[in-house]
Amino acid sequence: MHKQKIIPRQLRFLLSESIGDSPVTLIHGPRQCGKKTLAKIMGESIGYSYFTLDDADTRVVAQNDPMGFVSDCPDQAILDEIQRVPELFRILKLSVDRNRKPGRFILTGSTNVLLIPELTDALVGRMETLRLHPLSQQEIEQSQAPSFLDRLFAGNFQTRRKKRLAMNLIDKIVAGGYPAALVRPPGHRRSTWYRNYVTDFIQKDVLDLARIRSPEAIPKLLTAAANLTGQLFNASAMALKLQMNHNTVRDYATLLEYQFLIERLPPWYSNRMKRLIKTPKIHVGDTGLACALLGIDASYLSKNRDQLGRLVESFVFQELKRQASASNKPNAFYHFRDRDGVEVDIIIERSAFELAGIKVKAAATVFNSDFKGLRKIKAAHPDKFTFGAVLYDGEICAGFGDGMYVVPIRMLWEDDQPS
């Protein structure tokens, strides 16, 4: 039996602030990412009672008498997997309107209820929503390094030499960030956990949705998405490859996005630039899950550079999203590509006046041409583009002129000291 180590989550600071002034706080994210653990550690230490709607008996009570269930809840309650009984949102609204005391309810959910208007509309102005991802590398390494995004927008990179991650980077990609997977030995035991995770997801979530007529297609679609991670999302091409109906692929992709298993990264565009491609990119929610579904290990990935490149891009994107979710600053993520093939893998908007860009490379060498997309955006928006960086698996952190930097990938979670 492997004992799961409790790793402090960066989101705990925002959660503490939220329960101090919001009647309801929702922590949502994929199953098994640590929502329940975070809520219980934070809540039970200050007197919250815990109820899970994954429990059949509790769920039946809440469904049959939602008003009575909420009325009987203690003054401070954690309601785990709230999406299992959506009727509770309207009742929680009524309860909160009678008593708007901060910190009354901590909710957790494995479905993105922000995409279900009839649920979130019930608690507009009454609920703060926090996104919890699987573990970031900052959390896994328990690093005290300052926010990479803050350093990027400030251009705060000193010339340094860092050791290459090399195979360590590939190991991190294959491991992923789910706490329960990371306590298992690398190899087939960890891969088995991820495959069982998908089966569990289908049994607990997909089969509850009446419109899902072919649940066996879900793993196929998720595996196809894993194989296409870091590329433009084309539902028609995916449907043709999987021999599925186009509308089915589109609907099931939306379901996977609701469950935080994939993410469509929207395109960034500007009326100052022409010939832009306005198609989203697709990214898997966790590279460990992607590798398990594809049946690939670190040895295979080290010999297949194209697939490694796509997974490194998703790995960097997810690390940035995980760090951003614990930040008190707004960060919106996009990608850029034009019809001439010029692209920037990740664009971050921090406000109407701040824009930064990142190009991701799995290689250990950077060329001047790698900055082409970043410089194109800077030339079009010199008023708001702050800094650009090429993140690569190399040794040197240094300026590349004109507000551009080369930055080792490991500096996403490590401090600025030489190594």
Side-chain angles (χ1 to χ4, degrees):
M1 176 71 70
H2 296 279
K3 185 175 181 181
Q4 188 168 324
K5 180 182 177 182
I6 303 299
I7 297 176
R9 305 305 300 264
Q10 293 177 320
L11 196 68
R12 68 190 187 277
F13 301 111
L14 293 185
L15 177 56
S16 179
E17 290 179 353
S18 178
I19 63 178
D21 56 24
S22 299
V24 182
T25 299
L26 169 68
I27 308 168
H28 67 173
R31 281 190 177 274
Q32 296 288 329
C33 73
K35 302 181 302 295
K36 177 177 74 174
T37 301
L38 174 62
K40 291 182 76 173
I41 288 175
M42 176 68 72
E44 292 186 346
S45 65
I46 52 177
Y48 279 76
S49 298
Y50 172 80
F51 305 91
T52 178
L53 297 165
D54 262 346
D55 176 76
D57 292 337
T58 304
R59 187 166 63 252
V60 166
V61 171
Q63 288 170 333
N64 289 336
D65 184 12
M67 181 70 77
F69 178 80
V70 172
S71 298
D72 290 342
C73 277
D75 290 342
Q76 294 179 306
I78 298 167
L79 303 182
D80 187 32
E81 300 296 354
I82 187 71
Q83 82 283 347
R84 304 277 283 178
V85 188
E87 301 91 337
L88 288 177
F89 278 87
R90 182 176 58 85
I91 306 304
L92 287 169
K93 172 185 180 295
L94 296 174
S95 178
V96 167
D97 284 346
R98 295 191 194 102
N99 179 3
R100 297 185 71 95
K101 179 182 175 183
R104 289 193 59 201
F105 297 100
I106 298 175
L107 315 178
T108 79
S110 297
T111 296
N112 189 347
V113 298
L114 297 181
L115 300 175
I116 308 174
E118 59 269 27
L119 299 186
T120 50
D121 286 352
L123 289 169
V124 168
R126 304 164 181 86
M127 180 175 75
E128 181 169 345
T129 303
L130 304 176
R131 169 70 190 275
L132 188 68
H133 296 258
L135 292 163
S136 70
Q137 293 302 311
Q138 262 198 326
E139 290 169 328
I140 292 170
E141 302 286 343
Q142 298 187 43
S143 169
Q144 300 301 313
S147 162
F148 180 85
L149 288 168
D150 288 347
R151 282 187 284 170
L152 176 65
F153 277 95
N156 185 20
F157 298 110
Q158 304 298 318
T159 301
R160 292 284 185 267
R161 182 176 291 276
K162 304 287 261 184
K163 291 180 182 177
R164 282 194 64 212
L165 284 166
M167 278 302 297
N168 191 23
L169 173 60
I170 297 175
D171 289 339
K172 287 179 177 293
I173 288 169
V174 174
Y178 281 85
L182 291 175
V183 300
R184 285 160 173 76
H188 79 278
R189 290 304 304 147
R190 190 174 286 167
S191 295
T192 297
W193 185 90
Y194 277 118
R195 289 193 294 271
N196 288 341
Y197 175 86
V198 175
T199 301
D200 189 54
F201 151 71
I202 291 171
Q203 292 175 344
K204 285 190 174 181
D205 294 303
V206 173
L207 294 180
D208 284 344
L209 302 172
R211 63 188 176 89
I212 301 300
R213 297 182 178 180
S214 303
E216 71 279 358
I218 295 293
K220 295 179 182 178
L221 182 59
L222 187 54
T223 301
N227 198 41
L228 293 171
T229 194
Q231 300 186 65
L232 296 179
F233 176 73
N234 186 324
S236 297
M238 189 178 289
L240 186 63
K241 186 173 183 178
L242 294 173
Q243 297 184 324
M244 294 170 60
N245 179 273
H246 169 270
N247 291 331
T248 300
V249 168
R250 185 194 60 202
D251 291 345
Y252 285 16
T254 299
L255 168 67
L256 292 174
E257 198 164 20
Y258 277 17
Q259 306 297 324
F260 307 101
L261 295 180
I262 65 170
E263 183 166 355
R264 280 176 278 196
L265 180 64
W268 180 88
Y269 47 89
S270 159
N271 56 15
R272 298 185 190 180
M273 307 178 79
K274 298 179 180 179
R275 294 173 52 79
L276 303 182
I277 291 177
K278 299 182 179 180
T279 304
K281 269 189 174 184
I282 188 169
H283 283 286
V284 290
D286 184 85
T287 56
L289 178 61
C291 289
L293 288 169
L294 294 170
I296 60 179
D297 59 13
S299 176
Y300 173 91
L301 204 51
S302 68
K303 300 168 188 172
N304 291 268
R305 302 301 296 182
D306 287 344
Q307 195 154 44
L308 174 62
R310 295 193 296 272
L311 284 165
V312 167
E313 182 180 334
S314 287
F315 174 81
V316 169
F317 171 66
Q318 293 298 349
E319 180 66 19
L320 290 168
K321 289 295 296 284
R322 292 170 192 192
Q323 291 187 27
S325 68
S327 171
N328 56 15
K329 298 174 182 176
N331 295 284
F333 289 79
Y334 307 90
H335 80 93
F336 167 83
R337 183 178 294 187
D338 66 19
R339 298 188 185 279
D340 298 319
V342 179
E343 62 180 323
V344 177
D345 297 318
I346 304 166
I347 291 178
I348 309 105
E349 278 190 337
R350 188 159 265 192
S351 69
F353 309 103
E354 288 186 292
L355 189 69
I358 292 173
K359 174 75 174 175
V360 181
K361 291 191 69 175
T365 306
V366 173
F367 301 99
N368 192 57
S369 58
D370 293 322
F371 291 90
K372 186 174 182 180
L374 293 164
R375 288 187 170 128
K376 190 167 189 175
I377 294 176
K378 181 179 176 67
H381 287 274
D383 52 331
K384 63 186 297 186
F385 191 88
T386 55
F387 295 96
V390 173
L391 285 174
Y392 75 127
D393 188 27
E395 296 183 344
I396 299 296
C397 175
F400 224 81
D402 198 28
M404 304 293 167
Y405 296 87
V406 289
V407 182
I409 288 173
R410 69 187 309 148
M411 288 185 64
L412 278 168
W413 60 87
E414 290 186 358
D415 61 28
D416 207 24
Q417 298 304 307
S419 62

